[in-house]
Amino acid sequence: MSTVTETKATIPGEGFSRVAFAPEAMELLRKLWGIHGPLMFHQSGGCCDGSSPMCYPAGEFRTGGSDILLGVLPLDDGAGGVLGEIDFWMSKEQFEYWKHTKLTVDVVTGRGSGFSVEAPEGKRFLIRSQIIEFPAS
């Protein structure tokens, strides 16, 4: 398996990454950043597309007290330059189910949600999860 890119830890008291991005996801994010500018992710609960990670232009999905920032992805341009950072949010309710899980954002060919910015590219983001024991903080 290719090397993933880890997010910066954001939960108070934790010094480890809960979210990583596969190389193919990073490549698509660079393209989407070029089209839409700064981006963000939100992972809500629900079924169907509601359980997929949704990518939006930064600020277009309003987060609040019912959401938790799980990580911040430093996004480079693939040649050593810095593009910016991408926040990865999750609903607190969903986090209760997934708090013992390491999440990896990947991308596959196929139709995703019309609300997520990758949909016109014929791709969709998805979560690959692994139950792990996180280190003590």
Side-chain angles (χ1 to χ4, degrees):
M1 178 181 200
S2 302
T3 305
V4 297
T5 302
E6 300 286 343
T7 59
K8 297 176 190 175
T10 56
I11 297 176
E14 292 186 356
F16 54 89
S17 173
R18 288 183 167 273
V19 184
F21 285 76
E24 295 79 8
M26 295 294 289
E27 183 179 324
L28 181 56
L29 285 170
R30 291 180 187 106
K31 179 178 182 178
L32 295 171
W33 189 285
I35 297 168
H36 302 282
L39 301 166
M40 67 178 289
F41 274 91
H42 189 270
Q43 174 75 47
S44 63
C47 65
C48 308
D49 283 333
S51 58
S52 297
M54 304 290 280
C55 186
Y56 302 100
E60 284 211 8
F61 184 92
R62 298 216 185 254
T63 58
S66 63
D67 299 296
I68 185 167
L69 181 60
L70 286 188
V72 176
L73 173 71
L75 184 65
D76 63 50
D77 64 5
V82 175
L83 292 176
E85 296 184 324
I86 300 175
D87 291 347
F88 189 97
W89 293 87
M90 179 179 279
S91 70
K92 284 183 178 178
E93 182 179 3
Q94 187 74 4
F95 180 67
E96 281 304 308
Y97 292 110
W98 287 18
K99 63 185 173 186
H100 300 293
T101 306
K102 172 74 176 214
L103 307 177
T104 301
V105 178
D106 204 350
V107 65
V108 295
T109 300
R111 180 171 155 74
S113 170
F115 296 113
S116 196
V117 295
E118 81 279 6
E121 305 301 316
K123 305 280 184 183
R124 67 182 182 92
F125 290 110
L126 60 88
I127 292 290
R128 299 190 191 281
S129 60
Q130 178 183 10
I131 296 176
I132 63 170
E133 219 154 304
F134 287 100
S137 298

